[in-house]
Amino acid sequence: MRKSVVNIKFYSLIALCSVLFLPLFQSSVSADSSWAEETTPEVKFYPKIVNQYEDEEGNFVTEYSELPKQFTTDASGNIINDKSIQPMNACARQYSYKNLYTLRMQTNGFIANHPGFTRWDKVNGYYFGNTSVSYSVGLSGYGASISVSVAGPGNGTFITANPDRWSRPGIYGDVDKIHQQVTMVDPCGPDSTYTRDIYRSSRTYNRTVYQ
Protein backbone atom coordinates (compact mmCIF):
# COMPACT_ATOMS: atom_id res chain seq x y z
CA MET A 1 0.00 0.00 0.00
CA ARG A 2 2.83 2.41 0.87
CA LYS A 3 4.51 1.62 -2.46
CA SER A 4 1.36 2.64 -4.38
CA VAL A 5 1.16 5.94 -2.52
CA VAL A 6 4.82 6.66 -3.33
CA ASN A 7 4.24 5.87 -7.01
CA ILE A 8 1.21 8.19 -7.14
CA LYS A 9 3.22 11.03 -5.57
CA PHE A 10 6.12 10.41 -7.94
CA TYR A 11 3.99 10.51 -11.11
CA SER A 12 2.10 13.53 -9.81
CA LEU A 13 5.40 15.34 -9.35
CA ILE A 14 6.44 14.48 -12.93
CA ALA A 15 3.14 15.76 -14.30
CA LEU A 16 3.47 19.00 -12.34
CA CYS A 17 7.01 19.57 -13.62
CA SER A 18 5.84 18.95 -17.19
CA VAL A 19 3.16 21.60 -16.87
CA LEU A 20 5.55 24.13 -15.34
CA PHE A 21 8.61 23.64 -17.52
CA LEU A 22 7.30 22.47 -20.91
CA PRO A 23 6.43 26.00 -22.13
CA LEU A 24 9.86 27.21 -21.03
CA PHE A 25 11.56 24.36 -22.89
CA GLN A 26 9.54 25.00 -26.01
CA SER A 27 10.43 28.71 -26.07
CA SER A 28 14.12 27.89 -25.76
CA VAL A 29 14.16 25.78 -28.92
CA SER A 30 11.69 27.70 -31.08
CA ALA A 31 11.58 31.49 -30.86
CA ASP A 32 8.62 33.42 -32.22
CA SER A 33 10.00 34.45 -35.62
CA SER A 34 7.11 36.82 -36.35
CA TRP A 35 7.95 38.80 -33.23
CA ALA A 36 11.66 38.71 -34.11
CA GLU A 37 10.96 40.04 -37.61
CA GLU A 38 8.94 42.95 -36.23
CA THR A 39 11.82 43.93 -33.94
CA THR A 40 14.54 43.62 -36.58
CA PRO A 41 16.45 46.93 -36.52
CA GLU A 42 16.62 49.21 -39.53
CA VAL A 43 20.05 48.75 -41.07
CA LYS A 44 22.04 51.99 -40.90
CA PHE A 45 23.64 52.07 -44.31
CA TYR A 46 24.48 55.29 -46.11
CA PRO A 47 25.20 54.56 -49.79
CA LYS A 48 27.94 56.40 -51.65
CA ILE A 49 27.67 57.70 -55.20
CA VAL A 50 29.64 55.45 -57.55
CA ASN A 51 28.53 56.88 -60.90
CA GLN A 52 26.47 59.73 -62.37
CA TYR A 53 25.52 60.26 -66.01
CA GLU A 54 22.84 61.56 -68.34
CA ASP A 55 20.96 58.82 -70.16
CA GLU A 56 19.61 58.94 -73.73
CA GLU A 57 16.36 60.55 -72.54
CA GLY A 58 18.17 63.35 -70.70
CA ASN A 59 17.60 61.96 -67.19
CA PHE A 60 20.39 62.57 -64.70
CA VAL A 61 20.99 59.07 -63.34
CA THR A 62 22.82 58.33 -60.10
CA GLU A 63 24.19 54.91 -59.18
CA TYR A 64 24.93 54.08 -55.56
CA SER A 65 26.98 51.57 -53.59
CA GLU A 66 25.11 48.55 -52.26
CA LEU A 67 25.21 46.50 -49.09
CA PRO A 68 27.19 43.25 -49.31
CA LYS A 69 25.24 40.02 -49.73
CA GLN A 70 26.17 39.01 -46.19
CA PHE A 71 26.72 41.26 -43.16
CA THR A 72 26.05 41.62 -39.42
CA THR A 73 24.63 44.46 -37.34
CA ASP A 74 24.18 45.21 -33.67
CA ALA A 75 20.74 45.65 -32.09
CA SER A 76 20.65 49.30 -33.24
CA GLY A 77 21.28 48.43 -36.89
CA ASN A 78 24.93 49.54 -36.98
CA ILE A 79 27.00 47.36 -39.30
CA ILE A 80 29.68 45.43 -37.41
CA ASN A 81 33.14 45.06 -38.90
CA ASP A 82 36.70 44.60 -37.63
CA LYS A 83 36.88 48.26 -36.57
CA SER A 84 33.54 48.31 -34.77
CA ILE A 85 33.48 48.86 -31.01
CA GLN A 86 31.72 45.92 -29.43
CA PRO A 87 29.07 46.69 -26.76
CA MET A 88 29.89 46.07 -23.10
CA ASN A 89 26.52 44.37 -22.54
CA ALA A 90 27.13 40.61 -22.62
CA CYS A 91 23.49 40.03 -23.62
CA ALA A 92 23.58 42.41 -26.60
CA ARG A 93 21.88 40.91 -29.64
CA GLN A 94 23.37 40.73 -33.11
CA TYR A 95 21.64 40.27 -36.45
CA SER A 96 23.20 38.44 -39.38
CA TYR A 97 21.79 39.00 -42.87
CA LYS A 98 22.27 36.76 -45.90
CA ASN A 99 20.76 37.38 -49.34
CA LEU A 100 19.38 34.09 -50.66
CA TYR A 101 18.36 35.39 -54.09
CA THR A 102 17.53 38.64 -55.90
CA LEU A 103 14.80 39.34 -58.47
CA ARG A 104 14.71 42.42 -60.73
CA MET A 105 11.18 43.79 -60.36
CA GLN A 106 11.45 46.82 -62.65
CA THR A 107 13.97 48.73 -64.75
CA ASN A 108 13.63 52.49 -65.19
CA GLY A 109 10.25 52.24 -63.50
CA PHE A 110 8.26 54.66 -61.35
CA ILE A 111 9.11 54.19 -57.66
CA ALA A 112 7.24 56.98 -55.85
CA ASN A 113 6.43 60.67 -55.92
CA HIS A 114 9.39 62.70 -54.68
CA PRO A 115 8.78 63.46 -50.97
CA GLY A 116 10.71 66.72 -51.29
CA PHE A 117 7.94 68.14 -53.49
CA THR A 118 4.59 67.60 -51.82
CA ARG A 119 2.32 69.62 -54.16
CA TRP A 120 1.11 69.25 -57.71
CA ASP A 121 1.87 72.46 -59.59
CA LYS A 122 1.87 74.10 -63.01
CA VAL A 123 5.49 75.17 -63.55
CA ASN A 124 8.10 74.94 -66.28
CA GLY A 125 10.45 72.74 -64.27
CA TYR A 126 12.08 71.78 -60.98
CA TYR A 127 15.50 72.40 -59.44
CA PHE A 128 17.47 69.77 -57.55
CA GLY A 129 20.61 69.98 -55.44
CA ASN A 130 23.91 68.34 -56.28
CA THR A 131 23.94 66.07 -53.22
CA SER A 132 21.81 63.00 -52.60
CA VAL A 133 19.24 62.63 -49.84
CA SER A 134 18.02 59.32 -48.42
CA TYR A 135 14.26 58.82 -48.31
CA SER A 136 12.02 55.98 -47.17
CA VAL A 137 9.05 55.88 -49.54
CA GLY A 138 6.17 53.60 -50.39
CA LEU A 139 6.98 51.51 -53.47
CA SER A 140 4.20 52.09 -55.98
CA GLY A 141 2.26 48.94 -56.87
CA TYR A 142 3.89 46.63 -54.35
CA GLY A 143 2.43 47.64 -50.99
CA ALA A 144 5.93 47.84 -49.52
CA SER A 145 8.41 50.51 -48.51
CA ILE A 146 11.83 51.11 -50.02
CA SER A 147 14.83 53.24 -49.10
CA VAL A 148 16.19 55.34 -51.95
CA SER A 149 18.90 57.94 -52.37
CA VAL A 150 18.14 60.69 -54.84
CA ALA A 151 18.78 64.41 -55.29
CA GLY A 152 16.57 66.62 -53.13
CA PRO A 153 15.31 70.16 -53.75
CA GLY A 154 18.11 72.64 -54.45
CA ASN A 155 19.75 74.92 -57.01
CA GLY A 156 21.74 72.46 -59.09
CA THR A 157 20.18 70.27 -61.79
CA PHE A 158 17.01 71.47 -63.58
CA ILE A 159 14.42 69.16 -65.12
CA THR A 160 11.73 70.59 -67.37
CA ALA A 161 7.96 70.34 -67.05
CA ASN A 162 4.96 71.42 -69.13
CA PRO A 163 3.56 74.55 -67.41
CA ASP A 164 0.10 73.84 -68.87
CA ARG A 165 -0.23 70.54 -66.96
CA TRP A 166 -0.30 69.64 -63.28
CA SER A 167 2.98 67.99 -62.37
CA ARG A 168 5.42 67.12 -59.62
CA PRO A 169 8.77 65.29 -59.59
CA GLY A 170 8.83 61.52 -59.25
CA ILE A 171 11.58 59.06 -58.37
CA TYR A 172 12.39 56.50 -61.06
CA GLY A 173 14.93 53.69 -61.22
CA ASP A 174 15.64 49.99 -60.94
CA VAL A 175 14.03 47.98 -58.15
CA ASP A 176 15.17 44.59 -56.85
CA LYS A 177 13.32 42.29 -54.49
CA ILE A 178 15.75 40.50 -52.17
CA HIS A 179 14.77 37.30 -50.37
CA GLN A 180 16.86 37.53 -47.22
CA GLN A 181 17.62 35.26 -44.30
CA VAL A 182 17.96 36.96 -40.93
CA THR A 183 19.47 35.29 -37.88
CA MET A 184 19.05 36.97 -34.52
CA VAL A 185 21.75 35.85 -32.08
CA ASP A 186 20.79 36.43 -28.45
CA PRO A 187 23.56 35.44 -25.97
CA CYS A 188 21.06 35.43 -23.11
CA GLY A 189 18.06 33.87 -24.81
CA PRO A 190 16.88 31.82 -27.78
CA ASP A 191 18.20 32.56 -31.26
CA SER A 192 15.80 32.98 -34.15
CA THR A 193 16.18 32.51 -37.92
CA TYR A 194 13.58 33.65 -40.43
CA THR A 195 13.29 34.96 -43.98
CA ARG A 196 11.80 38.15 -45.36
CA ASP A 197 11.46 40.03 -48.64
CA ILE A 198 12.88 43.55 -48.90
CA TYR A 199 13.09 45.99 -51.80
CA ARG A 200 16.13 48.04 -52.78
CA SER A 201 17.26 50.37 -55.52
CA SER A 202 20.83 51.29 -56.32
CA ARG A 203 20.08 53.33 -59.46
CA THR A 204 17.67 56.28 -59.34
CA TYR A 205 16.83 59.56 -61.03
CA ASN A 206 14.22 62.34 -60.85
CA ARG A 207 11.65 62.76 -63.60
CA THR A 208 8.53 64.88 -64.05
CA VAL A 209 5.22 63.10 -63.37
CA TYR A 210 1.91 64.41 -64.70
CA GLN A 211 -1.61 63.93 -63.38
Side-chain angles (χ1 to χ4, degrees):
M1 182 66 179
R2 180 176 178 78
K3 184 176 181 182
S4 299
V5 172
V6 171
N7 286 340
I8 291 173
K9 290 182 177 180
F10 176 73
Y11 289 120
S12 297
L13 181 61
I14 292 178
L16 179 62
C17 289
S18 298
V19 172
L20 292 175
F21 294 106
L22 182 58
L24 179 63
F25 174 75
Q26 289 176 333
S27 67
S28 67
V29 296
S30 178
D32 185 351
S33 60
S34 62
W35 171 84
E37 186 171 0
E38 290 176 359
T39 59
T40 302
E42 180 178 350
V43 178
K44 295 179 180 177
F45 172 67
Y46 307 99
K48 298 179 180 179
I49 296 174
V50 296
N51 193 20
Q52 288 182 318
Y53 59 92
E54 187 174 306
D55 66 11
E56 59 276 5
E57 297 182 359
N59 299 309
F60 188 67
V61 180
T62 303
E63 295 180 348
Y64 300 90
S65 61
E66 299 183 72
L67 279 165
K69 294 182 178 180
Q70 211 164 336
F71 61 94
T72 301
T73 73
D74 61 19
S76 298
N78 299 303
I79 298 175
I80 298 173
N81 52 45
D82 295 338
K83 299 179 181 179
S84 300
I85 299 175
Q86 299 301 313
M88 299 298 293
N89 183 3
C91 292
R93 292 175 178 170
Q94 291 186 358
Y95 292 79
S96 294
Y97 301 82
K98 181 180 181 181
N99 295 348
L100 301 180
Y101 60 83
T102 300
L103 297 175
R104 172 58 53 89
M105 305 305 293
Q106 63 184 38
T107 301
N108 289 334
F110 175 72
I111 295 176
N113 289 320
H114 197 300
F117 299 83
T118 57
R119 293 175 14 180
W120 294 90
D121 211 341
K122 287 186 175 181
V123 294
N124 64 351
Y126 301 91
Y127 282 98
F128 296 89
N130 294 321
T131 59
S132 63
V133 181
S134 294
Y135 298 99
S136 179
V137 297
L139 178 58
S140 177
Y142 292 93
S145 61
I146 183 173
S147 295
V148 294
S149 292
V150 70
N155 296 314
T157 305
F158 181 78
I159 64 172
T160 61
N162 185 341
D164 296 325
R165 299 177 61 186
W166 291 100
S167 67
R168 65 184 290 188
I171 300 174
Y172 285 73
D174 302 339
V175 174
D176 293 326
K177 180 170 77 171
I178 302 172
H179 190 60
Q180 191 176 68
Q181 177 180 285
V182 184
T183 300
M184 181 192 73
V185 179
D186 188 344
C188 299
D191 296 344
S192 179
T193 298
Y194 51 94
T195 59
R196 64 175 186 171
D197 290 329
I198 60 172
Y199 294 85
R200 287 190 183 142
S201 177
S202 59
R203 178 182 177 275
T204 59
Y205 57 92
N206 295 318
R207 185 175 178 181
T208 302
V209 178
Y210 296 98
Q211 280 188 334

